[in-house]
């Protein structure tokens, strides 16, 4: 803006000195105006595309997070299926053992009957126990034999009942586990189908983001050419004005031109001083250091190290290495732990979140930079907060 004002000063000086404008000067001014108008339109169009691109990239990140959550849920469901199958196998073993015990008890009863039969001889009533009682020698022997029969019957009945009850209970538990396993298998199938749908959505969203990115790059290339045209048109206009100004008196011209050069120099100084110097914090915690050590490793849905990660998996893995304990492997759940912290008061180790509930998480490392696992096809890397502003942050 200040450079444009400087050119305006030159133009005014030339007008004051020369008194009139030639047709060629008017054409040059129109060329500058047209070029600047084209640049402005390009910048507006590019800004709109960048907004769409950021929205598309956010959508890709959301879908990636959903897929990672599905992968984790599928893994957890499979673990539950495996546990149910282990219990079913254990119950099968218990049922077989109970069946063997029942058979053993029956064999004992059979041996008891055979033993009594030998003592009684030929059966009179057809009931071995009754015959055993009838063969008592006297009242005392009858009482003794009655006591023996009762004890045998009671012991055998209790043993059989206990075994049968245990067998029935185990069979019931097995049925429950089989029903639970079937539910888990159904749930897993649903999760797998949902994951496939999300992958299709992700492919479409990624294509959209890539197309927008290509348009942004094309606009930037066009902008470079337009800016060159502006520079050339501006230079031509300035040259024409200076040529007219040369017909005026030397002193006023020198004073005005000197003033304009001073204004342009001030503008250049202002532009240079407006460029911030990047800096990076050096006081990093073990948590940050552990995350940074994973740079270059690929993004994989549902992965939590050591060779690959998704966004929340990187946080979980780095936290374990740093001795921070076990953290939940979901961005939305990580967003619930710790305490909120302002984005203007970040410290290394703070967690950055995009979305509420979060669909992406990263670790702030200081200096306006964070480390994260971005997307499939990319690796763990660092990125500027300014290039992708988080929604909120928490300190664990």
């Amino acid at each position: 803006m200040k450079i444009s004002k400087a050119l305006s000063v030159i133009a005014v000086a030339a007008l004051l000195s020369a008194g009139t404008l030639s047709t060629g000067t008017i054409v040059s001014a129109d060329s500058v105006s047209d070029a600047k108008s084209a640049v402005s339109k390009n910048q507006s169009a590019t800004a709109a595309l960048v907004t769409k691109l950021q929205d598309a990239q956010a959508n890709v990140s959301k879908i990636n997070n959903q897929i990672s959550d599905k992968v984790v849920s599928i893994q957890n469901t499979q673990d539950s299926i495996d546990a149910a199958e282990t219990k079913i196998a254990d119950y099968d073993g218990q049922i077989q053992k109970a069946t063997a015990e029942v058979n053993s008890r029956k064999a004992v009863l059979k041996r008891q009957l055979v033993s009594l039969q030998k003592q009684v001889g030929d059966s009179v009533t057809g009931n071995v126990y009754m015959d055993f009682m009838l063969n008592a020698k006297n009242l005392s022997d009858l009482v003794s034999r009655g006591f023996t029969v009762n004890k045998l019957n009671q012991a055998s009945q209790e043993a059989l009942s206990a075994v049968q009850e245990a067998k029935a209970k185990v069979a019931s538990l097995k049925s429950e586990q089989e029903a639970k396993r079937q539910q888990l298998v159904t749930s897993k199938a649903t999760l797998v189908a949902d994951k496939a749908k999300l992958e299709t959505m992700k492919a479409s969203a990624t294509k959209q983001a890539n197309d927008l990115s290509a348009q942004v790059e094309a606009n930037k290339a066009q902008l470079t050419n337009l800016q060159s045209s502006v520079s050339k048109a501006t230079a031509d206009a300035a040259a024409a004005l200076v040529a007219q100004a040369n017909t005026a008196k030397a002193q006023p011209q020198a004073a005005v031109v000197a003033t304009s050069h001073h204004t342009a120099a001030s503008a250049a100084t202002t532009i240079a001083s407006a460029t911030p110097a990047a800096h990076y914090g050096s006081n990093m915690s073990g948590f940050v250091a552990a995350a940074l050590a994973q740079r270059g490793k690929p993004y994989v849905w549902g992965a939590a190290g050591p060779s690959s990660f998704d966004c929340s998996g990187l946080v979980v893995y780095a936290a374990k290495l740093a001795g921070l304990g076990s953290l939940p492997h979901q961005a939305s759940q990580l967003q619930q732990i710790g305490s909120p912290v302002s984005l203007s008061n970040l410290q290394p180790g703070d967690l950055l979140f995009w979305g509420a509930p979060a669909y992406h998480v990263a670790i702030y490392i200081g200096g306006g930079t964070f480390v994260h696992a971005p997307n499939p096809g990319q690796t763990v890397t660092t990125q500027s907060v300014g290039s992708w502003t988080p929604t909120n942050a928490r300190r664990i």
Side-chain angles (χ1 to χ4, degrees), residues 238-263:
L241 290 171
V242 170
Q244 289 184 6
N246 285 335
T247 62
K249 294 181 181 179
Q251 289 298 327
Q253 174 189 1
V256 173
V257 172
T259 301
S260 66
H261 280 309
H262 175 73
T263 303

Side-chain angles (χ1 to χ4, degrees), residues 176-195:
E176 290 177 5
Q177 285 299 318
E178 287 175 338
K180 180 180 178 181
R181 177 187 177 281
Q182 186 56 50
Q183 290 176 351
L184 289 168
V185 169
T186 301
S187 296
K188 179 184 175 183
T190 301
L191 290 169
V192 170
D194 289 344
K195 175 176 173 285

Side-chain angles (χ1 to χ4, degrees), residues 209-227:
N210 290 338
D211 290 345
L212 287 169
S213 180
Q215 291 180 50
V216 169
E217 293 302 319
N219 272 30
K220 287 181 179 179
Q222 183 184 29
L223 179 61
T224 300
N225 294 332
L226 289 172
Q227 287 173 333

